[in-house]
Amino acid sequence: MVVVSHASYKWGSSGLAYLTGLPDGPPDFSRANVLGHAERIAADAATLLTGRAALLELTRGGRVSAGGATRLLPAHDGWCAITLSRPDDIAAVPALLHIDEAPKDPWPLLQRWAATRLVAGIAEGAELLDIPAAALGEATAAPPRIRRVGRRTPARGLHGMLVADLSSMWAGPLCGHLLARAGATVVKVESPRRPDGTRAGNRAFFDWINGEKLSYCLDFDRDAHELRQLLAVADIVIEGSRPDALARRRLGPEDIASRPGSIWLRITGHGEHSRRPAFGDDAAVAGGLIGGGTVFCGDAIADPLAGLEASLAVTESLDRGGGELIDVSMAAVAATYAALPIQASVSPHSAPPPSKPLVSKPAAALGADNDAVRRLISERQVLPC
């Protein structure tokens, strides 16, 4: 059923309609219910969903993502999304297409290639080469997967909690941002060899998401013992990499003697048992969260939606006493929002661009708070749990 409601007005005024639709067509209001559902978690969900686009001055690209790295491509039996955001993704294109060398702009060749393939084969071939890709609507809506990994405590709030944020880019850091707003002390953990890639991008975006956090920089291999100490005293751990990245260093939740009631939050593209890489736009396509006419919805929308849902999952776990490992799949989150009722794609409401969020203060320089974090670790090691 297609209806016009107040949700359309909110969607338009938020800047989300401005980011959805064909570049030479009208803004798309069809996913207006997404915003209302997200606002149950954060009153400023509109800003959280569109803040990056506002800071980077992005606009809608239709079947090209707002950020430009992902494309929606018609295949022989449906639609798929492919992301080429990393140098390794571009370097793997010749192997995907079985050619010696890809042209400078690989997208026309990829589009012709995809048109003759089945979507399942495209996704499978991309996975073998570690290229983020997804078939439209392949994921199933599902709540976070939760399992007990430790002893529970009485219900607690976030004030005074210590959070070790090992994630990067958007979904995990946004969750950490929301936990910091709620009173937690959040430590952003980065490796000097692989710092958060958004540090090298638009500084305002990095500052917006990470400004409230302490910066702790250490080598995950050489300084594994020191990192293990932080994870052992943290109340909440946010992990955004594929699970085996920490497991092979014996830094996973099964390897850490953590505090009673501690929570390990794992944000993945397609679930903790999948090795597939994912970014916000291709994960949204996997969940079927697209605009009318098969266009991208918003800006990498599975990223901020996953961050919002992850923060809710943490607060609900604290109410249960913690002691849990929580897996939030970006694709499953997108599928959950895609299942909401569709609105009319055309609306009489206006669709201005999103407004820039308030950036409270610059994020700390890489490793600027190492000494302060070490003191926190020492203090917590001598205090009773």
Side-chain angles (χ1 to χ4, degrees):
M1 180 178 179
V2 177
V3 297
V4 177
S5 71
H6 182 62
S8 295
Y9 168 75
K10 293 171 67 178
W11 180 259
S13 62
S14 70
L16 283 159
Y18 175 87
L19 295 168
T20 308
L22 293 169
D24 55 353
D28 187 331
F29 290 77
S30 62
R31 292 297 183 177
N33 280 320
V34 166
L35 179 56
H37 199 63
E39 285 178 330
R40 82 194 196 284
I41 304 174
D44 62 340
T47 299
L48 299 174
L49 294 177
T50 63
R52 189 185 83 146
L55 292 169
L56 274 60
E57 299 182 346
L58 303 180
T59 187
R60 62 182 179 272
R63 291 168 187 160
V64 178
S65 64
T70 309
R71 304 285 176 102
L72 268 163
L73 303 176
H76 181 71
D77 61 340
W79 289 85
C80 66
I82 296 178
T83 298
L84 302 179
S85 63
R86 306 168 297 180
D88 286 350
D89 299 328
I90 298 171
V93 168
L96 180 66
L97 303 183
H98 301 289
I99 58 177
D100 293 332
E101 185 177 355
K104 186 175 182 180
D105 178 5
W107 287 113
L109 191 59
L110 275 167
Q111 184 164 1
R112 292 193 296 272
W113 171 82
T116 66
R117 263 71 177 179
L118 301 178
V119 289
I122 293 172
E124 182 180 350
E127 180 181 358
L128 290 173
L129 296 168
D130 208 38
I131 298 174
L136 176 58
E138 65 172 271
T140 302
R145 293 172 59 92
I146 299 170
R147 69 173 187 264
R148 287 281 299 275
V149 293
R151 181 158 58 91
R152 286 181 170 160
T153 62
R156 298 175 293 169
L158 279 161
H159 187 75
M161 295 279 112
L162 178 62
V163 179
D165 181 2
L166 280 67
S167 65
S168 62
M169 305 306 285
W170 196 354
L174 175 59
C175 177
H177 167 77
L178 294 171
L179 300 184
R181 286 195 336 190
T185 297
V186 181
V187 177
K188 184 170 183 62
V189 184
E190 298 172 86
S191 163
R193 291 184 291 178
R194 293 191 65 182
D196 188 331
T198 57
R199 275 190 182 273
N202 183 287
R203 187 66 196 196
F205 173 66
F206 184 82
D207 290 343
W208 172 47
I209 297 299
N210 298 289
E212 311 94 334
K213 304 172 187 176
L214 301 173
S215 176
Y216 190 47
C217 181
L218 74 172
D219 188 290
F220 284 24
D221 294 310
R222 188 184 63 231
D223 303 319
H225 176 67
E226 195 171 342
L227 178 55
R228 185 174 288 107
Q229 289 180 322
L230 171 63
L231 300 181
V233 300
D235 299 293
I236 301 163
V237 177
I238 303 174
E239 177 190 352
S241 58
R242 281 173 282 189
D244 60 355
L246 291 179
R248 67 172 177 263
R249 297 179 172 92
R250 299 188 61 79
L251 293 170
E254 297 83 5
D255 307 305
I256 303 296
S258 55
R259 296 163 64 88
S262 64
I263 299 166
W264 194 287
L265 173 68
R266 182 172 281 165
I267 301 178
T268 59
H270 297 273
E272 63 178 333
H273 299 301
S274 172
R275 289 184 49 82
R276 293 169 63 186
F279 289 89
D281 286 302
D282 56 84
V285 170
L289 185 54
I290 60 170
T294 318
V295 296
F296 285 106
C297 177
D299 169 34
I301 198 164
D303 264 314
L305 288 178
L308 281 163
E309 292 292 335
S311 70
L312 176 62
V314 167
T315 57
E316 290 177 342
S317 180
L318 287 172
D319 288 342
R320 293 189 295 268
E324 296 177 337
L325 187 151
I326 305 169
D327 173 43
V328 176
S329 160
M330 292 167 58
V333 167
T336 300
Y337 279 82
L340 296 171
I342 300 293
Q343 300 284 300
S345 61
V346 179
S347 170
H349 301 299
S350 61
S355 301
K356 293 183 179 180
L358 176 65
V359 180
S360 58
K361 64 178 181 178
L366 187 64
D369 301 302
N370 277 15
D371 289 342
V373 173
R374 291 183 182 116
R375 286 195 296 270
L376 275 173
I377 294 170
S378 297
E379 291 167 1
R380 285 184 155 239
Q381 286 174 331
V382 300
L383 290 174
C385 298

